[in-house]
Amino acid sequence: MDDFDDEIQSAFEAGQHNANTFKLLNNWCKHAEISRSGGVGIVEAQTGLPIGHMGMQCKYSKHFSMQCWLLEDSVYSFYKKCCRDCDKRVPVSIPNILEFVEPRLQKAEERKKKEFELIELKKKAQCERKLKRSELRPNLSFEETFVLDLLDELDIDALESNDPRLEKLAHLAPEVFTPQIVELLLQAVEGEDLPYSHHAAKALITAPIDNKNKITVAIYLIKRHSVFSDVVNVVLNNSYALNLEQLKITLRAFASLATEPPPSSRMYSGHSKPLDVEPLKRLFGTREAHINEVLSDFFKGTELGKIQTATRVLIGLNNNTLFSKFLRDIVALLMRRRILLPNERRESSIIFYLRKAVSLCLLEQPELTDEVIQKYLADNDPVGVDESNRIYGSILRFLNSDTQIGNAHKIAFRRLLWAAIEHPDNYKNKALDTFRHTRDEFSVLAHENFDDLIGAAAILTEKYEQIDKKNIIEVTGSFFDELERNNKKNAINSLQSSLVNLAAVGAKHKGNRRIEDFLGLYRNLPKNQEQMRGCMITHISQMVTGISSLNLVLSDWYGALMDESVLVRASAIKAWENVPFEVVKNFPDLFFDAFSLALSDPYKMVHKSAVSVLRYRSFPEEKRLLIKSPLWTLVLVYSKESDDGDFLVDCINLLVSLCLSDSECKGAHGQLLSAILLKQEGSALYHAVNQSGYRFKTLPSFLKVALKAIRDSYTRDISISDCKDIILSSTKDELINSKKDIVGALELLKPLKQGDFLEAITYATALSISGESAIGTNLFNDFVNSIPEETRHLLWRIQTELVATALQIESEIQVGNLSNESTQKWQELIKKLEKEYEERAEFRDFPPGFNF
């Protein structure tokens, strides 16, 4: 995040601006209120300034202004819609919002005045041009006057850019374009920009005119980003006649055809155009010497547009000679961009093209490019280091099974490996991205760098242990110091795991001989190197592809499952997660017996690892009796503890999904598990509902668990959507048995907030299904009475009253006594609702400052 500091400064300035606007708004009117999006950022928490998207509202208005980054924009929009002629305003003090509203209104009036004056000037100029064309008519033939008639029609401000009439006339009747007509159209192209200038140029590009004028027309169209086949052909057929300035303009256009647009522009375009490198290559073939001079001039200058054009030309041509000549220029610009390109940020298009160009250089000339990059790393500039890691990473990012591994890939892999080891705990280190997720496409590289991967992983063990040694030596620090140490240890552990995993992938790629090398290294590790031993045994299953490889690793795997080290035993359990499904049937019974013992291991690390692994890679169905009893034991033991509810829920989830039959889930066993879940609080309760699959929902009284969770503050702070789904999918009997809980949850919503309306409808649906519509009617009538009788809440009030009326109609139908009063009230409310929607539709607009 190159512009992180700038973003903080921008947020701080916006907060100061909003704080001042807030004071002015409070002085403007007693009824003015602020609405804002949820959440508080770090900058806002530290400064106390109002930072974030905010809008203005008032109880006497149905209009809610769009929330904007600058509150001033929302206030100005709301003022124009609602405040200008409001008779409910209660002034408080001065100064108020008129300080910025009146200047904005004045500028808006000035803009309208200038626009009106400009329109008048354009009309006058159009009349003068029409008069001049009429003076030409006596000297023209009848056919030539057709062009004048068409120009009279095209000489308007509202002319569509794709009007084809003049261009079609040039195709169908080229003889009409006589020297006098061509001269008239050339004046529109070469002189003042007229409404039909672009159309005239598109007509002239195919008209029978001399090459000099055609080049002028083609350059005109290129400048206006209208590059089509006729324009390209004119330029290429007359490439020797292009002067230096015209050549530069053409280079920029042809480079755009040959290279993809930057991500910042692709974001807003619906589709991407196919690339066409032929025009650029043909132009280079005819003007190679001049293009070399232009590129040298562009790279020596400081104009960003020219540097970007030169870089795109290099990318489009993909010429080794050009890459060699300008390699140091593009590497220097990229790795010294903090000095050479100080104002360019992460979304910068020029940085995008420089990165792409250096990546192409590395692919085409790996040794030379690597040598240049390493020279620029001598001063250890952090931006240069970051860019070098990005360059090497780009070579490996799109590696796939069909890619031919070359020197560029080998160089990039080694550079990134040791760059990752150098700063394994720095999240900004881009080299780490390559090793975060192991991919089979790296198998060849992993095989070739097997020793380096294992050696790097061993170095990480030393770095990991060094953090613990520093912790012993240093005086006990704060909570944040401890958090930072843990983050560093986790980062190192994660990288070590990835590297060992890669080594295992490389060993698998080579076959049994390399697998034996991997196991030999593992066996020779000292017993006290638990971190490295555990890491290697975790990834031992990566090398299992069949019976032969399984036989090679089984003895070491058995030993690890029974190892005296808790860490190694837990790591051996984790290895089960990566076993291929098709190989599971080849595992001997003894392995499953040993694995099941982990669930009875007295150390939490071991049996928690076993439960965690079984969530992602379950036992064969015929072996699940081995884990049923240990899982029941874990459930009963942890149900008596209150500090590890999340793990308890995982145990119940495994027990239900793997070991219990449908009849057991619906019987006494399921009743016991629901009772245990119902005792949970906070995160465990949320976890129970969030992780509930089909089998959980079949547990008796599980609806009560969902109703308890939906009322729990922990769940409400995250999401209640799963709870609502469980309520709506419950059977009628379950809803009847949980009637008190439903009513209790609904009563907790008093007074009803607008954000809780959908939740209230969920309870209303549940009461309706359970046949308790009358209770819902009373509660929703209470909600209606609790909603303030303010203009802005009218829609919400009508919607709530509609629900209450619907429940009333249902309850009357249930007792067989439907009244005309209820149905009439329903129809009246529907009419009110439609009217309210129509009125509110008039307020939909976008405030100033809102950018798409």
Side-chain angles (χ1 to χ4, degrees):
M1 295 181 64
D2 306 328
D3 52 351
F4 182 67
D5 293 336
D6 291 342
E7 288 180 354
I8 291 178
Q9 180 62 28
S10 175
F12 180 76
E13 292 173 356
Q16 289 180 316
H17 194 90
N18 290 341
N20 182 57
T21 305
F22 191 80
K23 291 178 183 178
L24 297 176
L25 185 60
N26 285 337
N27 290 340
W28 168 249
C29 179
K30 180 181 178 180
H31 304 305
E33 298 176 7
I34 295 295
S35 64
R36 63 168 300 169
S37 57
V40 175
I42 296 176
V43 181
E44 181 175 1
Q46 291 184 343
T47 62
L49 296 171
I51 299 173
H53 288 80
M54 288 172 278
M56 180 181 172
Q57 61 185 20
C58 171
K59 67 179 182 180
Y60 292 108
S61 173
K62 300 175 184 179
H63 177 55
F64 288 82
S65 67
M66 179 174 285
Q67 294 179 348
C68 298
W69 180 246
L70 291 180
L71 178 60
E72 181 179 308
D73 291 334
S74 292
V75 172
Y76 177 64
S77 175
F78 192 90
Y79 172 86
K80 292 195 299 179
K81 279 283 184 181
C82 309
C83 290
R84 182 178 287 183
D85 302 317
C86 178
D87 57 356
K88 300 288 194 301
R89 179 186 167 222
V90 180
V92 178
S93 182
I94 53 173
N96 53 43
I97 61 173
L98 293 180
E99 279 201 350
F100 62 82
V101 167
E102 288 183 339
R104 282 192 171 202
L105 291 174
Q106 185 177 354
K107 287 181 180 179
E109 289 297 324
E110 291 174 356
R111 283 195 299 271
K112 287 182 181 179
K113 184 179 179 181
K114 288 180 180 178
E115 288 172 2
F116 178 77
E117 292 174 352
L118 185 61
I119 290 172
E120 292 299 316
L121 288 174
K122 286 183 177 180
K123 287 181 179 178
K124 182 179 179 181
Q126 287 166 353
C127 291
E128 292 175 354
R129 291 194 295 272
K130 189 173 183 179
L131 181 61
K132 289 182 179 178
R133 287 193 291 270
S134 66
E135 293 174 354
L136 293 175
R137 286 179 181 273
N139 301 322
L140 299 177
S141 66
F142 178 71
E143 290 79 7
E144 289 173 317
T145 59
F146 288 162
V147 179
L148 297 186
D149 293 336
L150 187 53
L151 291 182
D152 287 343
E153 294 181 26
L154 294 176
D155 196 5
I156 55 174
D157 292 333
L159 178 63
E160 294 182 6
S161 59
N162 60 348
D163 192 307
R165 287 178 290 176
L166 190 59
E167 188 178 358
K168 283 186 176 181
L169 183 61
H171 282 286
L172 297 174
E175 68 279 359
V176 175
F177 286 76
T178 60
Q180 285 181 295
I181 295 298
V182 168
E183 182 64 27
L184 179 63
L185 295 179
L186 281 174
Q187 291 175 6
V189 173
E190 296 176 337
E192 181 186 358
D193 196 17
L194 305 179
Y196 57 85
S197 293
H198 188 79
H199 303 77
K202 292 180 74 173
L204 288 173
I205 201 69
T206 57
I209 60 176
D210 60 83
N211 288 335
K212 182 179 179 182
N213 286 329
K214 278 208 171 187
I215 291 176
T216 302
V217 173
I219 296 299
Y220 170 88
L221 288 169
I222 288 174
K223 285 182 177 180
R224 281 147 186 82
H225 310 288
S226 182
V227 185
F228 48 92
S229 58
D230 289 334
V231 175
V232 172
N233 290 333
V234 166
V235 172
L236 292 177
N237 292 336
N238 300 278
S239 58
Y240 289 105
L242 296 175
N243 60 39
L244 191 59
E245 190 60 35
Q246 291 173 335
L247 180 62
K248 291 177 181 179
I249 294 170
T250 305
L251 265 181
R252 184 180 297 112
F254 285 6
S256 299
L257 293 176
T259 56
E260 61 181 335
S264 55
S265 64
R266 293 203 300 268
M267 186 183 303
Y268 301 103
S269 61
H271 59 278
S272 57
K273 296 181 180 179
L275 302 182
D276 185 6
V277 299
E278 285 305 312
L280 183 61
K281 288 184 176 180
R282 287 179 58 189
L283 183 65
F284 181 72
T286 57
R287 300 291 295 272
E288 180 176 349
H290 294 100
I291 289 176
N292 271 294
E293 292 177 10
V294 170
L295 294 180
S296 298
D297 180 56
F298 280 2
F299 277 122
K300 288 177 183 177
T302 58
E303 292 186 37
L304 300 184
K306 292 182 177 180
I307 295 174
Q308 179 169 307
T309 297
T311 309
R312 294 185 77 169
V313 169
L314 291 180
I315 296 170
L317 292 173
N318 198 7
N319 182 289
N320 281 341
T321 304
L322 286 179
F323 277 149
S324 299
K325 182 176 181 180
F326 297 107
L327 175 60
R328 283 171 175 77
D329 292 307
I330 57 179
V331 172
L333 282 166
L334 188 58
M335 298 184 66
R336 293 291 178 269
R337 64 183 178 82
R338 186 167 59 174
I339 299 171
L340 300 177
L341 305 171
N343 297 320
E344 298 305 298
R345 297 297 179 238
R346 60 186 174 190
E347 70 280 0
S348 166
S349 59
I350 187 172
I351 292 177
F352 167 77
Y353 288 117
L354 285 171
R355 287 171 178 165
K356 190 171 183 65
V358 180
S359 297
L360 284 174
C361 288
L362 186 57
L363 276 173
E364 298 298 329
Q365 303 181 55
E367 290 82 5
L368 176 61
T369 307
D370 178 60
E371 180 186 347
V372 174
I373 291 173
Q374 293 304 310
K375 286 181 179 179
Y376 280 97
L377 286 174
D379 61 352
N380 206 30
D381 179 76
V383 174
V385 172
D386 178 70
E387 289 299 336
S388 69
N389 291 334
R390 286 178 184 271
I391 295 165
Y392 292 125
S394 67
I395 300 299
L396 302 177
R397 187 176 301 121
F398 302 108
L399 198 66
N400 56 55
S401 57
D402 298 327
T403 304
Q404 184 68 34
I405 302 298
N407 287 339
H409 302 100
K410 297 175 183 179
I411 291 172
F413 189 86
R414 287 194 295 271
R415 293 296 187 192
L416 290 170
L417 174 60
W418 297 111
I421 295 300
E422 188 172 358
H423 300 289
D425 53 355
N426 184 357
Y427 70 95
K428 293 182 179 180
N429 185 359
K430 294 296 179 183
L432 297 173
D433 295 344
T434 303
F435 304 101
R436 291 190 195 281
H437 304 287
T438 303
R439 294 153 49 193
D440 288 338
E441 289 80 3
F442 284 173
S443 58
V444 175
L445 293 170
H447 161 63
E448 291 192 359
N449 295 275
F450 178 82
D451 294 333
D452 286 345
L453 287 168
I454 296 297
I459 292 173
L460 288 174
T461 298
E462 297 177 6
K463 289 179 177 285
Y464 186 94
E465 294 173 350
Q466 192 64 32
I467 293 176
D468 284 332
K469 289 178 182 178
K470 288 182 179 180
N471 193 16
I472 296 172
I473 297 172
E474 294 175 356
V475 180
T476 304
S478 64
F479 165 78
F480 293 104
D481 293 331
E482 185 64 26
L483 183 64
E484 183 180 1
R485 276 193 292 269
N486 288 333
N487 288 339
K488 287 183 178 180
K489 290 169 69 175
N490 290 335
I492 292 174
N493 190 33
S494 175
L495 179 59
Q496 185 183 50
S497 178
S498 296
L499 297 183
V500 174
N501 196 9
L502 266 177
V505 169
K508 177 177 66 174
H509 173 75
K510 188 61 178 177
N512 289 352
R513 186 179 65 80
R514 184 58 85 177
I515 293 175
E516 289 174 351
D517 292 341
F518 184 94
L519 295 174
L521 288 170
Y522 168 74
R523 293 164 189 158
N524 291 326
L525 287 173
K527 289 290 185 181
N528 61 350
Q529 287 195 12
E530 296 181 4
Q531 184 74 18
M532 187 65 179
R533 288 173 60 218
C535 191
M536 292 189 74
I537 205 65
T538 298
H539 301 290
I540 199 172
S541 56
Q542 282 281 10
M543 300 181 291
V544 176
T545 57
I547 297 177
S548 176
S549 55
L550 177 61
N551 289 333
L552 283 176
V553 305
L554 264 181
S555 61
D556 293 285
W557 202 345
Y558 278 138
L561 286 169
M562 301 300 174
D563 198 274
E564 61 185 17
S565 167
V566 175
L567 177 61
V568 174
R569 292 204 303 276
S571 300
I573 292 294
K574 291 178 183 177
W576 174 251
E577 187 175 334
N578 296 318
V579 174
F581 285 107
E582 61 273 12
V583 183
V584 171
K585 61 184 179 183
N586 298 318
F587 275 73
D589 293 342
L590 184 60
F591 176 85
F592 297 109
D593 292 334
F595 189 99
S596 62
L597 292 176
L599 291 168
S600 303
D601 197 289
Y603 289 92
K604 288 186 175 182
M605 178 184 286
V606 180
H607 60 246
K608 284 190 174 183
S609 292
V611 170
S612 176
V613 168
L614 288 174
R615 290 178 61 199
Y616 303 104
R617 184 60 51 90
S618 64
F619 255 33
E621 191 170 352
E622 63 275 11
K623 305 293 182 184
R624 291 178 184 176
L625 279 176
L626 294 171
I627 62 175
K628 183 175 181 179
S629 179
L631 279 175
W632 264 116
T633 302
L634 287 175
V635 169
L636 295 175
V637 169
Y638 277 90
S639 65
K640 298 176 183 178
E641 300 180 7
S642 58
D643 59 344
D644 216 340
D646 287 340
F647 178 67
L648 171 63
V649 173
D650 287 338
C651 292
I652 294 175
N653 196 1
L654 279 181
L655 186 63
V656 171
S657 59
L658 299 183
C659 303
L660 297 185
S661 63
D662 288 342
S663 58
E664 287 176 317
C665 288
K666 295 176 181 178
H669 290 87
Q671 193 72 46
L672 174 60
L673 294 176
S674 284
I676 292 173
L677 291 173
L678 193 58
K679 293 179 181 178
Q680 303 310 304
E681 304 287 343
S683 64
L685 197 59
Y686 171 75
H687 190 46
V689 176
N690 181 251
Q691 296 295 325
S692 62
Y694 170 75
R695 300 296 297 276
F696 256 38
K697 294 178 182 179
T698 62
L699 296 178
S701 304
F702 186 70
L703 175 58
K704 291 183 179 292
V705 179
L707 287 167
K708 180 180 179 181
I710 204 170
R711 288 175 284 174
D712 189 272
S713 59
Y714 184 92
T715 303
R716 299 190 72 82
D717 287 342
I718 302 175
S719 172
I720 61 172
S721 59
D722 292 307
C723 299
K724 292 191 291 186
D725 290 342
I726 293 170
I727 294 170
L728 294 174
S729 61
S730 297
T731 63
K732 182 176 181 179
D733 291 338
E734 285 282 345
L735 292 170
I736 292 173
N737 292 334
S738 304
K739 180 181 69 175
K740 289 184 179 180
D741 297 296
I742 297 171
V743 172
L746 192 54
E747 286 181 337
L748 282 177
L749 297 182
K750 293 181 180 179
L752 184 64
K753 299 181 180 64
Q754 197 161 1
D756 297 332
F757 183 66
L758 291 178
E759 181 185 353
I761 292 179
T762 302
Y763 300 136
T765 305
L767 290 172
S768 173
I769 294 172
S770 61
E772 300 293 344
S773 300
I775 298 175
T777 302
N778 294 332
L779 288 170
F780 268 84
N781 282 328
D782 292 341
F783 288 153
V784 173
N785 295 331
S786 68
I787 298 174
E789 294 186 10
E790 298 175 355
T791 306
R792 60 178 171 178
H793 295 318
L794 182 57
L795 176 61
W796 177 28
R797 189 180 181 88
I798 294 172
Q799 291 171 333
T800 309
E801 198 169 356
L802 265 172
V803 177
T805 305
L807 290 169
Q808 175 66 30
I809 292 173
E810 276 194 359
S811 64
E812 290 177 358
I813 292 174
Q814 288 168 1
V815 298
N817 187 25
L818 179 61
S819 65
N820 291 331
E821 182 182 350
S822 298
T823 55
Q824 186 176 356
K825 183 178 181 181
W826 171 268
Q827 293 172 354
E828 290 174 355
L829 288 171
I830 290 294
K831 291 179 181 178
K832 285 184 180 180
L833 185 66
E834 291 175 351
K835 180 182 178 183
E836 187 67 14
Y837 278 137
E838 290 176 0
E839 291 180 1
R840 286 176 179 266
E842 298 177 2
F843 292 109
R844 294 173 186 168
D845 64 347
F846 295 101
F850 182 84
N851 296 318
F852 288 95

